[in-house]
Amino acid sequence: MLGPLEDAILARLKELQKAVPRLRLDTYGGELSDPDLLVTLISKGPSILITTPKISFKQRSNRHYTADLVFRLVISAGNERKLLPKGGDPGSYWLWESCLSLLTNWQHKEGGSMVRPTEFANLVNGKFQAQHLSVLGQSFALALDWDVPEPDWPELERIAMEYHVPASNADEVA
């Protein structure tokens, strides 16, 4: 459920790479909490990372649920206000507005619910190792239908009720 949704969102955001070829699109892997990963985040240029912090399930029938899902974009750039110059990297505000335009009321699959923006957060705005970094968080919500998948385990053919008491006894007890 999550893998295909994240893939669809990242595919939708690939449209931004036409304007920003250096844009990194990926899943979030703790870059803001690990200093080594943060250095990598800054050095690779502007990025949009996706994470799914919350899903609430509501049972509709024995094997059918609706899932109210929240996903968050972690948008980072070298500054916040810079507009997209020719050949340069945009600021985080430009990336944020572009993401809002691409994802608001978008359906990740035909007949699916529309994505709606929810919360915005300014996560980081300052210097890290002499480089400026602006990181914004934008949350979106959508509802999904989910059916409990049938297990692909082999069918149970029989239950052996044979046992030996004590274990060293060669004769079956039952």
Side-chain angles (χ1 to χ4, degrees), residues 33 85 88 136:
S33 59
L136 309 175

Side-chain angles (χ1 to χ4, degrees), residues 10 16 31 38 40 55 62 66 69-70 81 83 96 118 151 159 163 167:
L10 292 172
L16 294 174
E31 285 83 352
L38 189 58
T40 304
I55 303 174
N62 187 33
T66 57
L69 183 137
V70 173
R81 292 193 170 253
L83 296 177
W96 171 70
T118 58
I159 298 175
Y163 58 94

Side-chain angles (χ1 to χ4, degrees), residues 134-156:
S134 174
V135 182
L136 309 175
Q138 176 63 54
S139 295
F140 294 88
L142 77 148
L144 300 172
D145 288 323
W146 183 69
D147 292 315
V148 178
E150 293 293 332
D152 59 353
W153 307 326
E155 290 293 320
L156 186 61

Side-chain angles (χ1 to χ4, degrees), residues 107-167:
Q107 291 176 294
H108 77 288
K109 65 180 183 178
E110 190 172 326
S113 70
M114 291 187 176
V115 173
R116 56 186 172 80
T118 58
E119 297 177 354
F120 167 84
N122 192 337
L123 302 174
V124 175
N125 191 8
K127 287 194 174 197
F128 181 79
Q129 295 184 355
Q131 288 185 301
H132 187 56
L133 178 64
S134 174
V135 182
L136 309 175
Q138 176 63 54
S139 295
F140 294 88
L142 77 148
L144 300 172
D145 288 323
W146 183 69
D147 292 315
V148 178
E150 293 293 332
D152 59 353
W153 307 326
E155 290 293 320
L156 186 61
E157 294 179 4
R158 73 180 189 99
I159 298 175
M161 295 297 293
E162 302 164 356
Y163 58 94
H164 306 268
V165 179

Side-chain angles (χ1 to χ4, degrees), residues 163-171 173:
Y163 58 94
H164 306 268
V165 179
S168 60
N169 182 6
D171 298 326
V173 176

